[in-house]
Amino acid sequence: MHPFSALLAGAALALSFAAQAQEATIRKALAERIPQLEKIDEVRASPMPGLYEVRVGTDLFYSDAKGNYLIQGELIDTQARRNLTEDRIHQLTAVDFAALPIKDAIPIVRGNGKRKLAVFADPNCGYCKRFERDLQGVDNVTAYLFLYPILSPDSAEKSRNIWCAKDRAAAWQDQMLRDKPAPAASCDTSALQRNLAFGRKYKITGTPTLIFANGARVPGAIGVAELEKRLAEPSATTR
């Protein structure tokens, strides 16, 4: 091996050992002092020098190099004007479109239905109603609607009646476009519980939440122009 190459390899190995030692120090200190952080999944350097990201599942904390201080909050890059914590959580909670439990969704097809997106929505959500109205202006799309009743007990009742309707897509659109609730009905609603569990796992905390075929995730309603732009992006997966 060339002496310079050997030197580089040695430096890389030394840095690796130093990083492992740093991680071990932080893990040990936090586990001893904060029992809830006994099972840390990952410790890594954050973009801010001297600050380390501590990950437990999809929950993020920040620590100094010795684990003496712990921050629970958001890290903002003021130059780039980006919420780095939010970006990281989106990365950790990314949803593979092909892995979505489509059997628990209501497919709403317009035109040839070739373009795909998933929508997590609550029947009492005003922004969901606005998005549903905008969606009427988009053709050749299949929207997989996941009923996601998180706003009120009434949301759960309306979702149940929609899910148990003979024509689920029509019942959803009656509710969202015409303020016409579905008649009371009962059936197996375990799909709604699975939707809620899925949302908790992937930290879907607001409605609507949109997931596109290329894996892009958008929290909140978007207009027709932005929707068309997103749908035109290359898909990571197809169904």
Side-chain angles (χ1 to χ4, degrees), residues 105-127:
I106 300 172
I108 299 174
V109 183
R110 297 183 60 81
N112 62 27
K114 289 179 69 174
R115 301 183 295 174
K116 315 287 186 184
L117 78 153
V119 184
F120 284 77
D122 184 301
N124 282 324
C125 165
Y127 289 107

Side-chain angles (χ1 to χ4, degrees), residues 79-191:
Q79 275 191 312
R81 297 184 181 181
R82 293 188 65 88
N83 185 326
L84 300 182
T85 303
E86 189 175 86
D87 288 349
R88 177 76 168 126
I89 288 173
H90 285 167
Q91 180 187 47
L92 292 169
T93 58
V95 179
D96 178 0
F97 196 88
L100 283 166
I102 295 301
K103 64 179 175 41
D104 294 334
I106 300 172
I108 299 174
V109 183
R110 297 183 60 81
N112 62 27
K114 289 179 69 174
R115 301 183 295 174
K116 315 287 186 184
L117 78 153
V119 184
F120 284 77
D122 184 301
N124 282 324
C125 165
Y127 289 107
C128 300
K129 291 180 180 180
R130 189 183 80 185
F131 178 74
E132 192 65 35
R133 288 194 298 270
D134 286 342
L135 192 58
Q136 304 308 298
V138 178
D139 203 8
N140 300 328
V141 64
T142 298
Y144 292 103
L145 167 70
F146 289 85
L147 289 166
Y148 197 57
I150 59 173
L151 296 181
S152 72
D154 181 57
S155 298
E157 182 180 348
K158 286 177 178 173
S159 294
R160 182 197 68 217
N161 293 338
I162 291 167
W163 183 253
C164 296
K166 185 175 181 180
D167 187 335
R168 294 168 175 169
W172 170 255
Q173 294 190 323
D174 277 345
Q175 172 70 58
M176 305 308 278
L177 300 175
R178 292 173 279 278
D179 289 322
K180 181 182 174 184
S186 62
C187 65
D188 179 2
T189 57
S190 55

